[in-house]
Amino acid sequence: MTQPLLIYNTLTRQKELFKPLHAPNVGMYVCGPTVYGDPHLGHARPAITFDILFRYLKHLGYKVRYVRNITDVGHLEHDADEGEDKISKKARLEQLEPMEVAQYYTNRYHQAMEALNVLPPSIEPHATGHIIEQQQLVKQILDNGFAYESNGSIYFDIEAYNKQHKYGILSGRSLENVKDASRSLAGVGEKHNQADFALWKKAEPEHIMHWPSPWSEGFPGWHCECTAMGRKYLGEQFDIHGGGMDLVFPHHECEIAQAIASQGHDMVKYWMHNNMITINGQKMGKSLGNFITLEQFFTGQHESLTQAFSPMTIRFFILMAHYRSTVDFSNEALIASQKGLEKLMEGIAALDRLPIANDCSIETKKIVSTLRQRCYDAMNDDLATQLVIANLFEACTLINKILDHQLDICQEGLDELRSTMHLFAFDILGLKESKGDGGEEREKAFGKVVDMVLELRAKAKAEKDWTTSDQIRDRLAELGFEVKDTKDGATWKLNK
């Protein structure tokens, strides 16, 4: 924990030195998926972003409790308070139990996350498993005078809250702005103020998912689940709450209001948000109908794709940009990411073929001796994964120069280079070699075959069979291999 980590706090709108409330313990809550459809690229970005943070905090020595929820009730179609629950709608259309729908797409989400090498969270609570906790939250807010009952539904009273506290501190919106934006929404009959949001909704007769409560047979409002479950598993105050930028308002803004209204103070010290993935400048999402599922990326079966892309290519594509910047999707960008990933994996694989010298060249020493700290500096500057990758690419250029005998590396330098590249590429960035990317097993077998051919050439040279030796060298050159003879034997690389 000697590394001074800076993270951008959406609440204060600046980078702050990360200081956990109860070091070395860290509590982190991230909004997970609503499980009513196949996971898409928009789901991958927050999962990968906070997987990086999870990995890095653990690497720094923190004991992290990472909670990522599953929304399986209360996420309504039109806005946070109106319409039909998305999972109930899917269940009704497909004549299934709602939990069948939720379980099926939860499984699909888990499969996609495993393919992307996203570590599972410490706890993955479901909204439907915490109805009692959400009802307790609603009761506390009612008892404190910040909510009211209307026709069996409970609404948060934003004006009452705003008189004692300030609504809009996360998004920067004023109450008047929120009111103006809410006037066109439906449901004018039940709310005192159109900007008020539902804490508990009375279920209509056709609504499939509902539970008994002191107020009505109904279901919790969408915003309640994260406040209730975050508090249950991380306490009344915890360190980090994360999610996509689209959740800043209204979801996370409402969470802050609920926490303060129920317990008198906010729960979260650092609010972190990843930016969106766009297609032609427009947010990717189910509601816009422009999303591409992760399975479609993995199989290439989508009209916007010219080929299949491996899970690691998708992960690399996301990590090539800073998590707070917008990433615009294109087939060309994915192809560039695929080539970049191949370059990095080839560089790491080539570490095992580097010729060892008695001493390192000056340039080699300079790059190797500073590489680890430069990667740390990038991670400590608000998780700048794109700069970590740039540093690793510089190391790949160094490796190629050593293979070309332009520079030398000693055993100590090689050990440090290998250790640093493996640490940041695999342990922290979470990349891995896979069969789809020409992975580790194939790479090792491939290298052994080339080494075997070169051993045959070395035997021919030792026997002064120059014809066979030259034929092997020339044939390898035709196949794209560059072979160089040194005093310690032959080295090779594959030119693309």
Side-chain angles (χ1 to χ4, degrees), residues 382-402:
D382 196 28
L383 310 180
T385 56
Q386 79 283 7
L387 298 181
V388 175
I389 292 171
N391 288 322
L392 295 178
F393 278 164
E394 183 181 353
C396 290
T397 300
L398 171 67
I399 290 167
N400 286 332
K401 288 183 177 180
I402 296 170

Side-chain angles (χ1 to χ4, degrees), residues 266-285:
D266 192 11
M267 291 197 303
V268 180
K269 185 175 181 180
Y270 304 96
W271 287 89
M272 296 182 67
H273 295 89
N274 63 273
N275 216 320
M276 299 297 101
I277 293 178
T278 59
I279 298 180
N280 299 321
Q282 188 179 38
K283 176 194 166 187
M284 177 184 290

Side-chain angles (χ1 to χ4, degrees), residues 94 245 251 281 422:
E94 298 186 12
M245 194 74 75
H251 186 48
H422 278 249

Side-chain angles (χ1 to χ4, degrees), residues 183-208:
R183 283 180 182 138
S184 62
L185 298 178
V188 293
E190 291 188 348
K191 298 181 183 180
H192 293 178
N193 186 306
Q194 199 51 44
D196 295 345
F197 59 88
L199 299 173
W200 184 264
K201 285 287 290 182
K202 180 181 180 181
E204 298 299 328
E206 66 274 12
H207 200 94
I208 305 175

Side-chain angles (χ1 to χ4, degrees), residues 29 47 100 108 134 169 175 199 202 208 220 257 268 275 280 292 298 351 354 386 404 412 417 446 451 454 466 483 489:
Y29 189 102
E100 281 186 89
R108 299 279 286 179
Q134 293 177 77
I169 59 174
L175 181 56
L199 299 173
K202 180 181 180 181
I208 305 175
V268 180
N275 216 320
N280 299 321
I292 304 175
F298 301 159
L351 288 167
L354 295 185
Q386 79 283 7
D404 289 340
E412 183 180 0
L417 183 59
F446 180 78
D451 290 340
L454 290 178
W466 308 118
V483 177

Side-chain angles (χ1 to χ4, degrees), residues 106-366:
T106 298
N107 293 343
R108 299 279 286 179
Y109 178 77
H110 288 157
Q111 290 163 5
M113 294 305 105
E114 183 177 1
L116 291 168
N117 203 26
V118 170
L119 299 176
S122 313
I123 303 172
E124 191 175 58
H126 292 228
T128 51
H130 297 78
I131 300 298
I132 292 174
E133 289 83 357
Q134 293 177 77
Q135 290 181 355
Q136 290 171 340
L137 172 69
V138 175
K139 185 176 185 303
Q140 286 177 323
I141 296 172
L142 268 170
D143 291 345
N144 290 340
F146 296 113
Y148 57 88
E149 182 176 354
S150 180
N151 297 325
S153 294
I154 308 297
Y155 291 97
F156 190 93
D157 192 334
I158 286 185
E159 282 199 338
Y161 174 84
N162 203 57
K163 288 176 181 177
Q164 298 184 39
H165 308 284
K166 179 172 171 33
Y167 184 80
I169 59 174
L170 187 66
S171 63
R173 304 187 186 202
S174 69
L175 181 56
E176 291 306 314
N177 294 148
V178 176
K179 285 181 180 178
D180 290 342
S182 303
R183 283 180 182 138
S184 62
L185 298 178
V188 293
E190 291 188 348
K191 298 181 183 180
H192 293 178
N193 186 306
Q194 199 51 44
D196 295 345
F197 59 88
L199 299 173
W200 184 264
K201 285 287 290 182
K202 180 181 180 181
E204 298 299 328
E206 66 274 12
H207 200 94
I208 305 175
M209 302 177 77
H210 50 82
W211 293 262
S213 79
W215 317 289
S216 65
E217 188 82 11
F219 54 94
W222 170 38
H223 308 306
C224 288
E225 63 181 89
C226 293
T227 307
M229 293 189 292
R231 186 164 63 184
K232 178 179 177 67
Y233 295 110
L234 299 175
E236 288 193 355
Q237 286 186 300
F238 56 89
D239 298 295
I240 299 168
H241 195 320
M245 194 74 75
D246 57 332
L247 296 179
V248 171
F249 186 88
H251 186 48
H252 289 166
E253 196 73 78
C254 292
E255 279 196 60
I256 290 176
Q258 289 172 161
I260 295 174
S262 63
Q263 63 188 30
H265 55 82
D266 192 11
M267 291 197 303
V268 180
K269 185 175 181 180
Y270 304 96
W271 287 89
M272 296 182 67
H273 295 89
N274 63 273
N275 216 320
M276 299 297 101
I277 293 178
T278 59
I279 298 180
N280 299 321
Q282 188 179 38
K283 176 194 166 187
M284 177 184 290
K286 285 187 172 69
S287 60
L288 298 173
N290 65 349
F291 67 98
I292 304 175
T293 69
L294 290 172
E295 183 177 14
Q296 287 172 325
F297 278 108
F298 301 159
T299 61
Q301 295 179 353
H302 190 277
E303 59 184 11
S304 299
L305 303 174
T306 59
Q307 64 178 76
F309 293 97
S310 73
M312 284 303 99
T313 297
I314 301 301
R315 186 177 180 104
F316 193 75
F317 168 69
I318 290 172
L319 296 178
M320 281 287 288
H322 190 270
Y323 77 91
R324 286 193 291 113
S325 66
T326 302
V327 176
D328 198 48
F329 159 79
S330 71
N331 192 78
E332 292 72 24
L334 279 179
I335 291 174
S337 294
Q338 178 177 279
K339 291 179 179 177
L341 178 61
E342 289 173 354
K343 174 184 176 181
L344 179 57
M345 292 298 108
E346 288 168 3
I348 293 174
L351 288 167
D352 295 331
R353 306 198 307 272
L354 295 185
I356 305 300
N358 292 327
D359 197 9
C360 291
S361 302
I362 294 175
E363 183 180 341
T364 303
K365 286 181 180 178
K366 180 180 178 182

